[in-house]
Amino acid sequence: MSNSKDIVKEYIFPVGEKNEAFARYFTGQSYLKMLTTEGVGVANVTFEPGCRNFWHIHHKGGQILLVTGGRGYYQEWGKEAMELHPGDVVNIPAEVKHWHGAAHDSWFSHIAIEVPSEGGSNEWLEEVSDQEYGRLK
C-alpha cells in the first residue's frame, strides 16, 4: 500500500492540504487542492484508503469527475456502485443523489469540475454506512 509521500509522486496534480472545510461530510481523510476558481471550479480531491464522501446532491449544475489515480467508487442512489480507475469519466447530472470515494485498500484521486449554473448548490445528506461500503469488493 502506498504512503502519502508515494501518492504525491504518483499523481499529476498536487494532493493539497487536508480537506478540513468539508471534513464533516467525509468518512476518513481527504485532501483538497483547488486548481482554479475562475469561471468554473476545478479541484483535485484525493482520498486515503477507505475514505468516501457522504451522499449528496448537486442542485442545478451537476458535476464531472475525471479519475486521475488509484481505485475508487461512484454510486447513484438505488443503483450498484461503479468501480473507478484512472482515465474514467463520470458525468453526474444535477439532482442525482450520489457518493464517491476510495476503495478500502487504495488511495484515490479525481478532478472534480463543478458544472456552472445560476443558483447552484450542494446538499449534503447522510453518511454512506460502513455496512453499505463494506459490501463493495
Side-chain angles (χ1 to χ4, degrees):
M1 189 178 310
S2 298
N3 67 37
S4 59
K5 289 182 181 177
D6 292 337
I7 217 65
V8 171
K9 293 176 187 173
E10 289 178 24
Y11 292 151
I12 300 166
F13 297 101
V15 170
E17 301 298 322
K18 287 185 176 182
N19 188 3
E20 302 295 344
F22 293 93
R24 66 185 176 274
Y25 305 121
F26 283 75
T27 300
Q29 184 63 60
S30 66
Y31 301 83
L32 179 66
K33 174 64 176 170
M34 290 305 299
L35 302 176
T36 184
T37 56
E38 294 182 31
V40 174
V42 178
N44 183 39
V45 184
T46 302
F47 302 77
E48 288 187 355
C51 178
R52 68 256 185 204
N53 54 33
F54 288 15
W55 290 99
H56 58 286
I57 300 170
H58 300 279
H59 294 295
K60 299 191 179 181
Q63 187 178 45
I64 300 167
L65 306 179
L66 307 174
V67 180
T68 58
R71 184 170 69 90
Y73 295 98
Y74 166 77
Q75 184 176 12
E76 292 182 1
W77 186 256
K79 296 183 179 179
E80 293 294 317
M82 298 171 23
E83 189 170 312
L84 300 175
H85 301 275
D88 288 341
V89 176
V90 180
N91 284 289
I92 306 167
E95 312 309 327
V96 172
K97 183 176 178 179
H98 68 282
W99 70 270
H100 33 103
H104 74 280
D105 60 351
S106 177
W107 285 76
F108 177 64
S109 187
H110 63 57
I111 302 301
I113 303 168
E114 295 296 323
V115 177
S117 66
E118 190 171 323
S121 65
N122 293 339
E123 179 183 0
W124 291 98
L125 304 165
E126 70 273 16
E127 183 176 1
V128 175
S129 72
D130 289 341
Q131 184 179 8
E132 288 175 288
Y133 183 76
R135 286 193 289 261
L136 303 172
K137 57 181 175 165

